[in-house]
Amino acid sequence: MSPASQRASVVLSLLALTPGAPVPFDQIVDELWAGRSMVNARNALQANVVRLRRILKDITGLDGENLVRTVGSGYLLDVAPDAVDAHRFVEMADKGGALARRDPRSAVVELEAALALWRGPALLDAADGLRCRAQAAHLEERRVSAYEDLVAAKLAGDAERVPLAELRQFAAEHSERERLSELLMLALYRDGRQAEALEVFHGARRRLADDLGLEPGRALHSVYQAILAQDAGLGEPRMALAYSASA
């Protein structure tokens, strides 16, 4: 992507974070050129907006000036929030998480649809600026939470097999999240792999001790003790529901 196209992408991403609401000129300039002195920052921004309007017109066939409108001392992306994947994802993830306790199967459908909206890292072409970088981190956090809710809903519904390789990879990539370790332990135990489930606990314990000087939390300890005792409750949906609320 050329520098000019990337700047247009940054402008679009920043406006899309709050569709229907104006973003002040100064915020956009700061996102594009933070820490750099610009002689004619407002003119440079206007040139990037003109380029963005042209790109949007080529893609959508709609008038770019109606999509990216000048409002007072800023610009506004005039689309409904559900036209932006990030907003649709958050709405669907919230809905799926709320369904997990009372209707796990419906929660699975909602959460899988939410996660299917992801095609790679959030705001990949626009994550250099402070605001986009912060929002990208927030969306990634929500993605992992939604995945945790999905696994918990699958275990609670007791109808769908949890892909262990995928869950193990998530737990490895986000080793700081005890909830993923808890869910992985439960899924492994239900798959008849008790020794592997116990090793997940020991691995998490070592990482916490080495990195933070901490012991695992109460929930992780509870699953560990239940697996050691081969608690019959481990096979019941209620055990998974303990992890269906967002961490």
Side-chain angles (χ1 to χ4, degrees):
M1 179 182 293
S2 69
S5 297
Q6 186 166 4
R7 285 192 294 271
S9 179
V10 171
V11 174
L12 177 60
S13 297
L14 191 59
L15 297 179
L17 295 179
T18 54
V23 179
F25 295 135
D26 291 346
Q27 284 189 18
I28 306 175
V29 168
D30 188 55
E31 193 76 2
L32 287 169
W33 299 290
R36 283 176 282 174
S37 177
M38 293 289 296
V39 177
N40 293 308
R42 188 68 61 85
N43 290 341
L45 173 58
Q46 185 177 16
N48 281 283
V49 170
V50 169
R51 184 178 296 108
L52 173 59
R53 286 168 170 163
R54 188 184 309 121
I55 292 171
L56 290 175
K57 183 176 181 180
D58 290 342
I59 293 173
T60 67
L62 302 174
D63 186 345
E65 291 195 9
N66 288 333
L67 289 173
V68 178
R69 296 197 291 112
T70 304
V71 180
S73 60
Y75 292 107
L76 175 152
L77 181 64
D78 195 3
V79 299
D82 62 7
V84 179
D85 282 350
H87 291 271
R88 290 175 57 211
F89 162 73
V90 170
E91 183 178 354
M92 295 165 72
D94 285 346
K95 182 179 178 181
L99 283 169
R101 286 186 173 274
R102 66 179 185 272
D103 189 354
R105 293 188 182 185
S106 295
V108 168
V109 173
E110 197 72 28
L111 290 164
E112 285 186 335
L115 290 165
L117 293 172
W118 285 75
R119 296 291 185 271
L123 306 177
L124 180 60
D125 296 325
D128 289 339
L130 180 61
R131 292 173 181 81
C132 286
R133 186 164 63 246
Q135 186 64 18
H138 172 69
L139 287 169
E140 175 61 19
E141 168 73 17
R142 293 302 306 273
R143 181 178 77 95
V144 179
S145 293
Y147 181 76
E148 291 171 340
D149 287 341
L150 173 62
V151 173
K154 284 185 174 182
L155 290 169
D158 205 29
E160 297 194 48
R161 185 178 178 85
V162 175
L164 287 172
E166 180 183 80
L167 176 54
R168 194 187 292 275
Q169 181 178 346
F170 258 82
E173 291 175 351
H174 303 277
S175 59
E176 76 286 356
R177 297 181 72 99
E178 291 188 38
R179 188 184 183 208
L180 281 171
S181 295
E182 294 157 15
L183 292 167
L184 177 57
M185 289 170 66
L186 182 56
L188 286 167
Y189 181 80
R190 288 190 180 180
D191 199 50
R193 298 156 73 171
Q194 179 175 344
E196 291 181 56
L198 295 174
E199 180 51 36
V200 170
F201 172 83
H202 293 304
R205 187 175 193 173
R206 286 192 296 270
R207 286 192 299 272
L208 285 168
D210 292 343
D211 297 344
L212 301 172
L214 298 174
E215 278 289 307
R218 182 179 301 175
L220 194 55
H221 264 294
S222 295
V223 178
Y224 175 69
Q225 293 297 333
I227 290 173
L228 282 178
Q230 297 187 347
D231 188 337
L234 288 170
E236 298 177 5
R238 66 178 176 82
M239 178 60 76
L241 287 175
Y243 311 115
S244 63
S246 294

